[in-house]
Amino acid sequence: MTAGLETGQTQTQTIAADEDVVRVRQLVRTVAVAVKLSLVDQTKLVTAASELARNTLVYGGGGAVSVTVVDNGRRRGIQIAFADEGPGITDLDLALTDGYTTGGGLGLGLSGARRLVDEFDIETAVGRGTRVTVTKWSR
């Protein structure tokens, strides 16, 4: 994608290795700059995307991310959808609780990502995978 992004354009990236998490961060940063998000909002979105890409890799066994420029009639933004076909999340309420972790980390992945974006949606089914969609709007 280039800086001349049009609304509705999507770029997809496979998440299968640690290097792909880095590529996701770079892609999100590039699109956030093009959409003219503030530096603070760029940082929040890149942080959330990094956490969610890592979850897709570690817990979902890999998957894909789609980054789309969106427009709600008042402002532009970025919508990012992470999808995997992993084991799914058994207890979503627990997984969204601050401090909860199954990986020995700080437990801020899902709950932290949710706080960093304007819109957060998660769909999961045990044995069928997880899809997390986040949106950040320009101010």
Side-chain angles (χ1 to χ4, degrees), residues 46-111:
V46 169
T47 301
S50 182
E51 289 289 334
L52 295 170
R54 171 90 28 222
N55 284 359
T56 299
L57 178 63
V58 172
Y59 301 109
V65 61
S66 296
V67 180
T68 306
V69 177
V70 292
D71 189 318
N72 69 1
R74 295 187 325 261
R75 54 194 174 163
R76 292 176 82 198
I78 302 169
Q79 185 174 74
I80 310 171
F82 297 84
D84 67 61
E85 295 179 2
I89 300 170
T90 306
D91 187 337
L92 186 55
D93 289 337
L94 183 60
L96 288 168
T97 302
D98 283 347
Y100 176 76
T101 181
T102 59
L106 296 176
L108 296 176
L110 286 177
S111 62

Side-chain angles (χ1 to χ4, degrees), residues 32 35-38 40-49 52 70 72 74-80 110-122 132-139:
V35 172
K36 297 184 177 18
L37 292 185
S38 71
V40 169
D41 284 345
Q42 289 173 34
T43 302
K44 287 179 179 181
L45 187 59
V46 169
T47 301
L52 295 170
V70 292
N72 69 1
R74 295 187 325 261
R75 54 194 174 163
R76 292 176 82 198
I78 302 169
Q79 185 174 74
I80 310 171
L110 286 177
S111 62
R114 181 170 59 178
R115 281 193 307 275
L116 293 170
V117 298
D118 298 319
E119 297 173 17
F120 181 95
D121 182 64
I122 186 167
V132 180
T133 305
V134 299
T135 306
K136 190 74 173 165
W137 296 103
S138 61
R139 305 273 171 233

Side-chain angles (χ1 to χ4, degrees), residues 8-44:
Q9 283 186 318
T10 299
Q11 183 161 332
T12 302
Q13 167 76 45
T14 300
I15 302 172
D18 288 334
E19 299 80 29
D20 296 326
V21 175
V22 174
R23 287 186 192 94
V24 168
R25 283 197 306 259
Q26 292 168 338
L27 171 61
V28 170
R29 171 83 61 202
T30 299
V31 176
V33 168
V35 172
K36 297 184 177 18
L37 292 185
S38 71
L39 184 57
V40 169
D41 284 345
Q42 289 173 34
T43 302
K44 287 179 179 181

